[in-house]
Amino acid sequence: MGIKIIGTGSYTPERVLTNLDLEKMVDTNDEWISTRTGIKERRIADENTATSDLASRACIEALKSANITAEDIDLIIVGTATADKAFPSTACLTQAKIGAKNAVCFDLSAACSGFLYSLEVAESMLAAKPQYKRALVIGAEKFSSLVNWKDRNTCILFGDGAGVVVIEKTDGETSSILASHMGSNGDHEKLLQVPGGGTALPITKENFDEGHQYVTMEGQEVFKKAVTAMVTSCKKVMEESGITADQIKWLIPHQANYRILKAVASRLKISEDNVFMNLDKFGNTSAASIGLAVDEMNKTGSVSEGDYVLLTAFGGGLTWGATLLRW
Ligand code: COA
């Protein structure tokens, strides 16, 4: 049995928020944001758009690219930190919007690593049970809903979007997914979190006024830990599969900050020319970023059959991982 990626899709909202726009909102400037992060602009969803709206638009594109219908889907997993509601899951809401009435649906919480974790779970479920043949693996975020637009430390970083891959179980021996490694460490919850809005710190008027509904981050610590964790996971999957740095066509890291991406590539001895970056256009879209990049790589014809593509992510939790694909 093998697992193949048979389609990709993505969606980003139309509204573009540039660094120049941010200059009018907080004490920052394009030069600071560009040199520290590599981000030039990001997409922001309007107030009537929920995460499942972003996800379903991306799914419709992915289904078209796979040349199948929504009813052919047995499993929908949405990696997200910005669910539409506490419940039903964003996956169920997406199911209803696209008409995937035969699918089992649930969300997965792993912050910015949500897409890779979802791919890991979907692959395992397809491998384990005959009833699961095709899955929509989705990373979708309306991350702008967690951002304090008065906090220049964080508001410059994030954007909204959704990325999807369709995976299918095949009879063949070959698999698109060659190896994967995931990690978590709950000891560092405070480095990157949204403290309020859950059961630990419900949103009362007082907590709301304190801003506990917004993302908080210790930027420099996150930076260091992100580089170390992604490099560790990438090395593990490269070792396990016997693939060397010079064989990697694309390294697609979670699009957090171009300095993080460069540091990861450099430690893996992968040339910067082989690092796929689109964070200049979309910023950090959390769980959506890898799916967005994979779809862009696919749609622009930047990848050929048989190419090795190394995905790696890091996020709140802490969570991290790497997955090696043969396209
Ligand atoms: N515009 C202008 N100045 C800013 C600013 C902004 N948007 N944000 C912070 N600053 C200021 C700080 O107040 C500080 O000023 P001070 O020296 O007077 O105190 C100075 O710039 C340096 O801040 P610092 O936080 O040390 O900057 P940095 O080089 O660490 O860059 C990040 C900040 C957030 C870009 C960087 O730490 C980072 O990218 N970390 C990883 C974040 C990430 O990717 N998170 C998601 C992971 S999934």
Side-chain angles (χ1 to χ4, degrees), residues 48-78:
N48 299 317
T49 301
T51 299
S52 65
D53 295 313
L54 304 175
S56 33
R57 282 174 178 245
C59 285
I60 289 165
E61 209 184 86
L63 291 167
K64 229 182 253 170
S65 118
N67 204 17
I68 57 170
T69 69
E71 291 183 16
D72 295 323
I73 296 296
D74 312 301
L75 177 66
I76 298 178
I77 307 180
V78 179

Side-chain angles (χ1 to χ4, degrees), residues 27-29 32-33 36-37 112 152-153 156-158 192 217 219-220 222-223 226 254 256-257 259-260 284 314-316:
D27 179 15
T28 190
N29 56 75
W32 193 97
I33 302 172
R36 302 272 175 143
T37 71
C112 300
R152 69 176 184 173
N153 291 297
I156 56 147
L157 297 172
F158 298 100
L192 184 52
M217 181 183 69
Q220 291 190 2
V222 169
F223 192 115
H254 165 51
N257 175 322
R259 292 186 294 142
I260 294 181
N284 179 346
F314 178 86

